[in-house]
Amino acid sequence: MMTAVSLIRASALSDVAQYAYAATAPKDARLIFLAGACPLNDDGTTAAVGDYAGQAATCIGTMKEALAAAGAGITDVISTRVLVASTHREDLGAVWEVVRDAFGDHDVPSTLLGVTVLGYEDQLVEIEAIAAVMDES
């Protein structure tokens, strides 16, 4: 399957950011909007209670499963929003390291947010994503 996502580097902007500043997909790409990937075990309980990095890793696994079900992979992601239930930058940083490592060279535009609370008991992390794919004719 041909990739639909083109990452854009903005040379006039700071190179401190650990992600591309923009991404595009052609007009005939199929967009996939993922619900927020949550750190849930198969039985519905929250995984890695109290562990920001552990929950981020679980969210990445959930996101990959959802992408696969939609006929896509992590390199088809065009943007992410990472929500972290914390007001401490070090917690956001711990989550971001897991997300950045999961995406590797496919460093999509991302927003990292500290929020007050997330939906599940003991939930610390949630990752939203949009992907774009070119379906074979």
Side-chain angles (χ1 to χ4, degrees):
M1 181 184 308
M2 182 175 102
T3 184
V5 178
S6 296
L7 300 178
I8 299 168
R9 313 264 178 237
S11 61
L13 298 174
S14 171
D15 62 359
V16 173
Q18 299 174 355
Y19 46 81
Y21 277 99
T24 63
K27 66 180 179 179
D28 53 344
R30 177 171 55 93
L31 297 178
I32 303 165
F33 298 87
L34 277 68
C38 298
L40 299 178
N41 295 311
D42 291 341
D43 65 0
T45 59
T46 302
V49 172
D51 179 0
Y52 286 93
Q55 287 198 8
T58 301
C59 290
I60 291 291
T62 299
M63 183 184 68
K64 286 180 177 179
E65 289 290 328
L67 286 165
I74 200 162
T75 58
D76 297 311
V77 173
I78 197 166
S79 70
T80 67
R81 182 175 302 132
V82 182
L83 309 173
V84 183
S86 178
T87 58
H88 301 286
R89 282 194 175 93
E90 58 271 11
D91 296 334
L92 278 71
V95 169
W96 180 247
E97 285 183 29
V98 172
V99 173
R100 183 192 61 220
D101 291 350
F103 278 89
D105 291 337
H106 186 71
D107 54 346
V108 299
S110 295
T111 299
L112 177 64
L113 298 168
V115 298
T116 304
V117 66
L118 293 167
Y120 291 100
E121 187 173 339
D122 297 317
Q123 181 182 1
L124 301 172
V125 180
E126 188 163 334
I127 303 172
E128 299 175 6
I130 299 171
V133 296
M134 298 296 295
D135 291 320
E136 295 179 19
S137 306

